[in-house]
Amino acid sequence: MMPSFYQNCFQKLLTPTQYKMVQILVLLLQFHKTVTIEKLATVFPQPILFESRRRSIQRFLSLPQLSIQLIWFPLLKQWVKERKLKKGNRLIFAIDRTQWRNQNVFVISLIEDKRAIPIFWQSLAKRGCSNLSEQKALIRPLLRLFKGYQILVLGDREFHSIKLANWLQAKGIDFVLRQKKGTYVRLPNSSFQRLAVLGLVPGVSFFFEQVQFTKQKGFATFNLAGYYPRKYRGKVEPSGWYL
């Protein structure tokens, strides 16, 4: 049902009754493949009224022991040990934000075996893009959880900020952040120009070192890569990638 190290972690943090609740909920989730409390309350094997079962599940899920820091982080540490990922190895993480119904979910995930494993997540109390302070808060747990590993963070165009890049560099974190084509850069021995005029067309790629990004105060120098897949079977991507 659950790996042994999951069971050990739950048993350390929860009372026997609470641990039994976890076991039942996991079984129901696996069988019914639903995460709605109402559905779980309907099928929960407890001889009480539906409303009482629903409130019981809600109270359980609100336990402070079930916080990300107390129950999820120890599981992640143990999972890394189980995978025998040695200190000094490079771990790749992706940051992303998803607007799901009325929830604005901000998450960072470990990329392993072509799968994304959520590491830390937040529900932003607003709509739209994240800001620098929220991005820092999402990434900081990596520094504690994966101390001793080489960290590489990937981000799409929402995370093109030079301020974020400077902060990651100061923390010793490698990164690849996709840039908007309107971003100004200055290649060696040239003036500032937009990325869009660098000639990135299907089938073309390039790489430049020590490129100055943006005309704004606090601009920094980073490497720049461009990639645009060639036309294949009559299909072409709508745009290239500036990284």
Side-chain angles (χ1 to χ4, degrees):
M1 181 180 67
M2 290 187 293
S4 58
F5 67 87
Y6 273 65
Q7 297 178 42
N8 293 335
C9 181
F10 285 134
Q11 288 173 335
K12 289 178 182 178
L13 286 173
L14 303 175
T15 66
T17 301
Q18 292 167 345
Y19 178 61
K20 178 60 69 175
M21 185 80 159
V22 167
Q23 291 179 307
I24 294 172
L25 286 176
V26 170
L27 283 173
L28 293 177
L29 288 169
Q30 291 175 334
F31 184 79
H32 295 281
K33 296 180 174 57
T34 181
V35 293
T36 63
I37 292 178
E38 287 73 16
K39 177 63 176 179
L40 292 173
T42 300
V43 298
F44 197 85
Q46 195 173 17
I48 56 178
L49 296 175
F50 166 81
E51 187 60 26
S52 298
R53 293 196 298 270
R54 187 178 69 82
R55 288 198 299 266
S56 177
I57 294 174
Q58 286 180 322
R59 286 195 299 270
F60 173 75
L61 295 177
S62 299
L63 288 174
Q65 298 96 306
L66 298 183
S67 68
I68 299 174
Q69 290 82 357
L70 290 179
I71 203 163
W72 184 232
F73 285 179
L75 288 174
L76 287 172
K77 289 181 179 179
Q78 187 59 40
W79 183 85
V80 170
K81 290 181 180 179
E82 294 283 330
R83 298 286 294 177
K84 298 181 179 179
L85 300 176
K86 297 180 180 179
K87 292 290 184 72
N89 285 4
R90 168 167 285 177
L91 302 180
I92 302 175
F93 300 87
I95 49 178
D96 194 19
R97 183 187 56 80
T98 301
Q99 189 75 42
W100 183 72
R101 296 182 181 178
N102 62 338
Q103 297 294 321
N104 197 5
V105 183
F106 194 25
V107 62
I108 187 163
S109 303
L110 172 65
I111 308 302
E112 180 73 12
D113 291 337
K114 298 182 180 180
R115 291 175 173 82
I117 302 165
I119 299 298
F120 188 53
W121 57 91
Q122 296 176 328
S123 181
L124 303 181
K126 64 178 185 180
R127 299 180 67 87
C129 297
S130 59
N131 57 39
L132 180 61
S133 62
E134 292 162 344
Q135 293 163 4
K136 289 180 180 180
L138 190 76
I139 296 170
R140 279 195 183 100
L142 301 185
L143 302 176
R144 301 190 300 272
L145 282 170
F146 303 102
K147 186 177 181 179
Y149 293 91
Q150 296 182 42
I151 297 175
L152 171 63
V153 171
L154 310 179
D156 63 15
R157 281 173 290 194
E158 178 177 331
F159 312 103
H160 71 285
S161 166
I162 295 303
K163 292 181 180 180
L164 175 60
N166 282 330
W167 181 79
L168 290 169
Q169 189 175 61
K171 294 296 183 181
I173 298 175
D174 295 330
F175 55 89
V176 178
L177 305 177
R178 189 176 181 185
Q179 299 296 301
K180 297 180 179 180
K181 63 181 180 181
T183 300
Y184 278 95
V185 297
R186 184 166 66 183
L187 303 180
N189 303 316
S190 66
S191 58
F192 276 105
Q193 56 190 322
R194 294 179 184 273
L195 289 173
V197 303
L198 294 183
L200 188 62
V201 295
V204 169
S205 62
F206 56 71
F207 180 80
F208 299 105
E209 295 182 340
Q210 300 301 306
V211 176
Q212 291 185 357
F213 278 75
T214 82
K215 294 180 178 180
Q216 299 175 1
K217 183 179 179 180
F219 68 80
T221 301
F222 304 107
N223 296 334
L224 169 66
Y227 175 70
Y228 203 145
R230 64 182 179 84
K231 187 176 182 180
Y232 182 70
R233 293 184 177 180
K235 296 181 180 180
V236 63
E237 295 293 326
S239 62
W241 291 64
Y242 301 97
L243 307 168

